[in-house]
Amino acid sequence: MQSNNPYFTQPTNPYYRRIDLPAGDLHVFAHDELFHAMGNKVLEMANNNLQIPHIRYMSYTPDAHVGVGTCIGTTAVWGAEDGFVSPSIVGSDIGCGMRVHLTNLQASELQDVKLRRKLVKAIEKRIPVENHARGYFSDIRLEDVLRKGLHGLPGKYVPDAYTPRKATSLTHVESSRFHFDEEALNRIPEPVWHRSHRQLGTLGGGNHFIEIQAISLNEENRPIAESWGLRDGQVAIMIHSGSRAWGGAVNQYSGSEVVKTMHRLGLGTSDPKLVFAPLGSEAGQTYANLMYSALNFAVANRHLMAFAVRDAFKETFGAQAETRTLYDLMHNYACEEEHDGEALFVHRKGTTRALPAGHADNPEPYRETGHPALIPGSMGTSSYLMVGAQDGGRNYHSICHGAGRVRSRNATKQLVTVDEFAASMRIGREDEIVVNHRGLEAILDESPQAYKDVDRIIDSVVNARLADVVAKCRPLAVVKGV
DNA sequence: ATGTCC
């Protein structure tokens, strides 16, 4: 196949290529066809990102697509000593990520469409999805959440046997707590504190969702699945959300200082939307500190929503309904990690860390198998539970974060009809994927036609030997915001 | 993504 990009070379492996861009090397983990579908703009963006000083590594996952300043699907690595931090690479929704809970229900128990509707209503009663709506967790101190993450929540929101055993990992639910210089919190003005406090326990819009799913195991990895507590036909809960208004304010109130620092140091690229500062500079430190507060917010917020969904399950299916935590991990963040004994500063923008079996950074309950890597599909299509492969170290243990958009929100609204969307959700059939919105036009820009085929993305991740499929999760019902 | 133009 002929390519129109000037850096095209025939790869020896159809699932990986190294591209020798003027500013440095870009590593692409995607099947040829997916790579060619990305277009040249993603290469221009990579070339800009590679101009940030001291960058050691940059790659794209197969779901990579154009974002602001940096593509979604980017892994970018610096040394911790002479590194840079880039708000543009972390992205606008700091701490955005996934959470999965396992229930003791089987999908056959949700066969009645009326029961799925009842469950969706019970979730909506506890998690407002409208824009500007306030959450139901006013007894929580925002400052505690920002400073301590999950550890800042009152004990009643962390029920016994709700989270896995104690473990040490930044992204593990139980120990999720990002330490930072709390002085930086004073940068955020009072109205944002007020708004963010009200937003605790709210979902947000765009691609955020709460989905009820049915699990099917990949036979090859059945032992891993079973050790994680997965069963065929088991009902799971998947939550996708981020740091809401707080993360946006972090970007807003630390961004101008980052830009000033760039100017002072004479740094920049042809893209004014690509901003960065030395990790050791005052602006870099301020941004990093505030970014960590947003990570704390995002993890605690997903936890609170999971707590609310747990209540909804108990109301719908009785007190014996269980919803234990499988895992929670982010796909928009930057933090220090050790790779091959060296301290590095790793950015992931729309990429998911997937550690393999035996890796020391796995939380203890997942040390032997590798931790679950949670990959959402598009609405109406399956999501995946993955586990990192040993070869994943080639990409700093980063894999995709989902299907990846294939057309813009506006283009989707032009192209896709409500009827086509309804058909893909099987609306009106006994096996319909129940959606909380009665009028699908409100979320038409999130229809599956807006996204790449997640199965092909997963195929690339598996064949690039970054991760393996442990289970596939078929949607039964979905709650979307606006 | 975002109180998406208080």
Side-chain angles (χ1 to χ4, degrees):
Chain A
M1 185 204 257
Q2 196 54 46
S3 168
N4 59 353
N5 90 63
Y7 306 107
F8 176 83
T9 50
Q10 191 61 46
T12 52
N13 173 346
Y15 289 95
Y16 165 79
R17 65 173 68 222
R18 183 178 59 77
I19 300 172
D20 182 17
L21 294 170
D25 285 348
L26 172 71
H27 304 263
V28 183
F29 294 88
H31 187 271
D32 265 358
E33 284 179 26
L34 286 169
F35 168 69
H36 288 295
M38 286 178 194
N40 284 338
K41 181 79 180 152
V42 301
L43 297 179
E44 285 172 35
M45 281 204 149
N47 195 55
N48 287 332
N49 282 259
L50 284 162
Q51 288 168 48
I52 304 175
H54 303 164
I55 187 166
R56 300 227 191 150
Y57 179 83
M58 178 164 173
S59 75
Y60 285 152
T61 45
D63 50 336
H65 60 281
V66 170
V68 178
T70 300
C71 288
I72 291 106
T74 293
T75 302
V77 180
W78 279 264
E81 292 301 318
D82 63 349
F84 276 66
V85 62
S86 169
S88 309
I89 307 185
V90 172
S92 48
D93 190 5
I94 300 167
C96 186
M98 310 302 304
R99 187 184 183 96
V100 170
H101 283 245
L102 303 175
T103 74
N104 55 349
L105 293 155
Q106 288 294 110
S108 53
E109 297 172 74
L110 277 74
Q111 217 161 28
D112 183 355
V113 66
K114 289 197 276 303
L115 198 53
R116 296 200 295 283
R117 289 212 181 94
K118 192 178 165 196
L119 176 61
V120 163
K121 274 192 193 306
I123 293 171
E124 271 197 299
K125 200 163 88 185
R126 293 166 175 82
I127 302 176
V129 294
E130 314 82 45
N131 207 354
H132 296 200
R134 69 177 304 163
Y136 300 113
F137 296 96
S138 52
D139 57 338
I140 295 171
R141 281 176 46 120
L142 175 63
E143 188 184 349
D144 289 344
V145 167
L146 295 169
R147 288 169 58 230
K148 299 191 269 189
L150 287 184
H151 298 267
L153 295 176
K156 68 174 174 175
Y157 295 122
V158 191
D160 290 345
Y162 188 56
T163 51
R165 281 166 286 163
K166 275 243 176 287
T168 51
S169 165
L170 282 179
T171 52
H172 186 253
V173 280
E174 179 110 5
S175 57
S176 251
R177 175 177 178 173
F178 290 84
H179 295 275
F180 61 97
D181 182 351
E182 292 160 13
E183 279 295 306
L185 293 174
N186 298 326
R187 304 274 182 141
I188 306 295
E190 200 283 330
V192 178
W193 282 78
H194 184 70
R195 189 186 311 151
S196 295
H197 184 244
R198 288 169 56 116
Q199 279 187 335
L200 280 168
T202 64
L203 177 61
N207 59 5
H208 294 167
F209 65 77
I210 297 165
E211 201 164 86
I212 311 304
Q213 305 169 335
I215 285 176
S216 55
L217 305 186
N218 175 11
E219 276 310 318
E220 284 177 36
N221 286 317
R222 182 175 279 273
I224 297 176
E226 285 176 350
S227 87
W228 290 356
L230 308 180
R231 297 188 314 271
D232 265 315
Q234 184 176 27
V235 173
I237 303 154
M238 182 175 271
I239 298 173
H240 183 187
S241 186
S243 54
R244 313 288 282 107
W246 185 265
V250 165
N251 284 316
Q252 191 182 334
Y253 292 99
S254 58
S256 57
E257 215 181 316
V258 171
V259 172
K260 273 186 220 156
T261 300
M262 287 174 74
H263 290 159
R264 185 165 52 78
L265 298 174
L267 297 169
T269 71
S270 60
D271 183 355
K273 295 244 169 89
L274 176 59
V275 299
F276 50 89
L279 204 42
S281 68
E282 200 175 325
Q285 279 299 299
T286 299
Y287 171 75
N289 284 323
L290 289 173
M291 175 187 60
Y292 292 141
S293 76
L295 301 185
N296 282 335
F297 182 100
V299 176
N301 198 43
R302 283 190 294 273
H303 177 97
L304 289 172
M305 282 188 276
F307 183 84
V309 173
R310 172 182 187 258
D311 246 16
F313 266 78
K314 286 186 182 296
E315 183 185 81
T316 311
F317 300 102
Q320 73 286 357
E322 289 170 20
T323 60
R324 80 166 185 85
T325 313
L326 179 70
Y327 211 56
D328 180 300
L329 85 168
M330 299 168 288
H331 47 235
N332 286 353
Y333 65 106
C335 72
E336 199 173 308
E337 291 177 4
E338 196 179 298
H339 290 266
D340 294 328
E342 192 176 13
L344 300 174
F345 196 69
V346 179
H347 292 66
R348 294 194 176 88
K349 180 178 189 172
T351 53
T352 307
R353 189 170 76 155
L355 297 176
H359 194 291
D361 287 344
N362 279 304
E364 192 275 329
Y366 298 121
R367 184 69 48 82
E368 282 184 27
T369 57
H371 67 81
L374 319 173
I375 310 298
S378 55
M379 212 187 340
T381 68
S382 288
S383 296
Y384 285 85
L385 304 179
M386 312 283 289
V387 68
Q390 295 297 338
D391 276 352
R394 282 148 54 243
N395 194 35
Y396 295 84
H397 302 294
S398 282
I399 67 169
C400 62
H401 90 301
R405 215 162 240 291
V406 73
R407 54 181 59 89
S408 71
R409 295 188 182 279
N410 281 331
T412 307
K413 285 184 204 157
Q414 304 272 321
L415 187 82
V416 183
T417 68
V418 171
D419 284 348
E420 286 166 341
F421 186 17
S424 62
M425 303 296 283
R426 300 195 287 280
I427 301 296
R429 293 173 40 162
E430 186 59 24
D431 65 344
E432 86 170 45
I433 302 165
V434 170
V435 191
N436 60 319
H437 290 274
R438 275 182 296 171
L440 286 180
E441 58 267 38
I443 50 169
L444 188 56
D445 53 355
E446 281 293 314
S447 69
Q449 290 85 347
Y451 288 91
K452 292 178 191 166
D453 177 358
V454 70
D455 293 347
R456 294 186 63 200
I457 303 295
I458 297 296
D459 168 76
S460 267
V461 169
V462 169
N463 282 297
R465 302 194 318 280
L466 297 180
D468 294 300
V469 175
V470 175
K472 206 167 165 169
C473 311
R474 173 173 58 88
L476 303 173
V478 58
V479 174
K480 292 283 292 182
V482 275

